[in-house]
Amino acid sequence: MSDASEPGDTSDLQAFRGQVQDFLVANCARRGEVSMDEADDEVTTARRFQASLAGAGLAGITFPREFGGAGLSATHQEVFDDVSAPWHLPNLPLAISHGMCLPVLNQFGTDAQRSDFMPDNINGRTIWCQMFSEPGAGSDVAGLSTRAVRDGDRWVLNGQKVWTSGAHYCDYGIVVARTEPDVPKHQGLSMFIVDMADPAIEVRPLRQISGESGFNEVFFTDAHIPTDWLLGDLNQGWSLAVAMLMFERVSIGAGRGGLGGERVTQNLINLARQLDKAEDPRTRQDLADLWIRERIKGFIGRRIRDAVAAGRVPGPEGSIAKLNGALLARTIRDVSMELVGAAGQAWGPDGGDGERWSTFCLSAAGISIAGGTDEVQRNIIGERVLGLPREPNPFKDVAWEDVPRN
Ligand SMILES: Cc1cc2nc3c(=O)[nH]c(=O)nc-3n(C[C@H](O)[C@H](O)[C@H](O)COP(=O)(O)OP(=O)(O)OC[C@H]3O[C@@H](n4cnc5c(N)ncnc54)[C@H](O)[C@@H]3O)c2cc1C
């Protein structure tokens, strides 16, 4: 086993650090040297990688052993994050499954739900998606229209979701639906687990500007949900949804694999050297600014991840992380496009840095939208962190079914 101790490590942490290092050497490529098995797609690779992480006792690090996790501490998670930072972990298709669905299952699931669903989620045998947004309810997700109606020993689901990332390869989903239309909108929502293999669920991929199809429309036509797949209490779905949104914001804004960072400054410094631009004073200033912002992101993330690992649901600080991650992504986009120049628009058959940064550039706008837009994060920070007056809401006490909508 590697001897990879750090000052302050206990013998247990030292052994764990070595265990992580050995696993990464055997199973991963360093960032920038990625070589994916071309026979496999990204999802198959992610499932296989997750299974090997689980086999090494390194999956679901802070989740309870009895539900498939490793049962270790937040400090072990930090060690894993630190040691794995320079490595490419091919698990992006699991980001929502692990960053949002898993903590919600763990926090709000019954023991039966946790033992039925968490082990397979943790080891990548099942992948989960999150179904909140609808054509008429994005920022105002509490206004959603998808209905779940009780019919004997099951719920019957009808409606439409949109922008559901990964629904086309997911096995299960967490959906928020309206169960009580004649109370104010926040009070009549419930959260359910759904089986994406149900033939009453139709998934239609949406094509994006990058040419990829990362998200989908999802249609429910009399889809059936067993009554014991209700998460949390009936009509209490809004508080679970808020918790899940905060997990999402933390995952996007502060997660180590999030789109908003990935310690890209070092990659851009390498690129500047490679392109002979590292001595240019403006480039140096841009890179120094980026380095500072990325460090701040790291500190915010570490603080929030510690809280999550200690079993707390993140509060409005998740919005600070999310907004900061989105602003950082835009800075990365601008600096990288300056550096690669015309290669950001057209590149040779070997792809190279132009293709890589062009893809990042096209994805950057989405980071300001996914998980709640920048404007919505600023509202939350204004109201819940700074204590500014709340936005006026004339429909606060009006039953959802009486609120005018398109
Ligand atoms: C990459 C990506 C992945 C996504 N993945 C998922 C997913 O897996 N599951 C899921 O459920 N959803 C997903 N979404 C959807 C995302 O959550 C919504 O797009 C987002 O909440 C915004 O909703 P909307 O698109 O309906 O925009 P709208 O809510 O219609 O907003 C339109 C504009 O109005 C502004 N606005 C709205 N309300 C206010 C306000 N009160 N104050 C100030 N400005 C306001 C917004 O900032 C925005 O600029 C994803 C989106 C993206 C981009």
Side-chain angles (χ1 to χ4, degrees), residues 8 72 76 88 121 131 164 166-167 173 179 191 309 336 366:
L72 297 172
H76 288 86
H88 171 73
N121 173 304
M131 295 179 284
T164 311
T179 38
M191 188 179 269
S336 64

Side-chain angles (χ1 to χ4, degrees), residues 379 383 388-394:
N379 283 348
E383 292 172 10
L388 299 176
R390 296 185 76 85
E391 271 197 276
N393 179 4

Side-chain angles (χ1 to χ4, degrees), residues 60-80:
I61 289 176
T62 57
F63 292 96
R65 269 176 184 276
E66 59 188 305
F67 302 122
L72 297 172
S73 68
T75 315
H76 288 86
Q77 183 67 58
E78 288 300 343
V79 167
F80 182 90

Side-chain angles (χ1 to χ4, degrees), residues 96 130-135 137-140 162-165 215 248 366-367 369-376 379 391:
I96 290 176
Q130 172 225 33
M131 295 179 284
F132 282 21
S133 306
E134 299 184 359
S139 300
D140 177 27
V162 71
W163 313 127
T164 311
S165 303
F215 38 49
E248 176 171 23
I367 300 168
I369 301 172
T373 64
D374 288 359
E375 291 77 17
V376 166
N379 283 348
E391 271 197 276

Side-chain angles (χ1 to χ4, degrees), residues 3 11 27 58 80 82 93 98 120 122 135 143 162 168 178 202 222 268 276 321 331 333 335 341 361 373 401:
D3 177 16
S11 56
N27 292 280
L58 297 173
F80 182 90
D82 282 346
H98 286 165
D120 280 353
I122 287 173
V162 71
H168 52 304
R178 188 157 302 281
E202 186 191 352
D222 291 335
L268 287 177
D276 226 7
T331 310
R333 174 199 63 193
V335 174
C361 174
T373 64
E401 61 190 1

